[in-house]
Amino acid sequence: EVQLVESGGGLVQAGGSLRLSCAASGFRFEDYAIVWFRQVPWKAREGVACISADGGTVYADSLKGRFTVSRDNAKNTTYLQMTGLRPEDTAVYHCAVDVVRRRCPVGYDYWGQGTQVTVSS
């Protein structure tokens, strides 16, 4: 079955950096786009970044320049490098895959349990 497992979250000071990882299995990883979104209680899900199978990327306008998404198909893993973190970046970060669309932007047909990112001021 499709599985997506996020890791790399934690507590970081404002201005710091984190690299999140998304390990995928159960599908041909190299043929699909992977998207990162984040969730805060009482707020709507927010798309963060997406990377297509060919490496093309799409970012939320407000995050472009601070966050970078990449992928390593040999490892079935997608990464989200986050720099210049701010308290408002605090959220649970999920990765997801869309089984219909293959190029960014994509939806969230399957997603992982998420990894908590907390940014202190």
Side-chain angles (χ1 to χ4, degrees), residues 8 27 35 40-41 78 91 100 102 105 108-109:
F27 63 100
V35 61
V40 178
T78 301
V100 177
R102 303 295 183 90
Y108 318 135
D109 286 338

Side-chain angles (χ1 to χ4, degrees), residues 28-63:
R28 288 186 63 84
F29 178 81
E30 66 271 22
D31 291 338
Y32 289 86
I34 303 293
V35 61
W36 289 91
F37 68 91
R38 62 190 185 184
Q39 177 73 64
V40 178
W42 300 99
K43 295 183 179 180
R45 292 177 177 175
E46 179 183 20
V48 173
C50 180
I51 183 164
S52 298
D54 66 2
T57 58
V58 175
Y59 296 92
D61 287 342
S62 63
L63 302 176

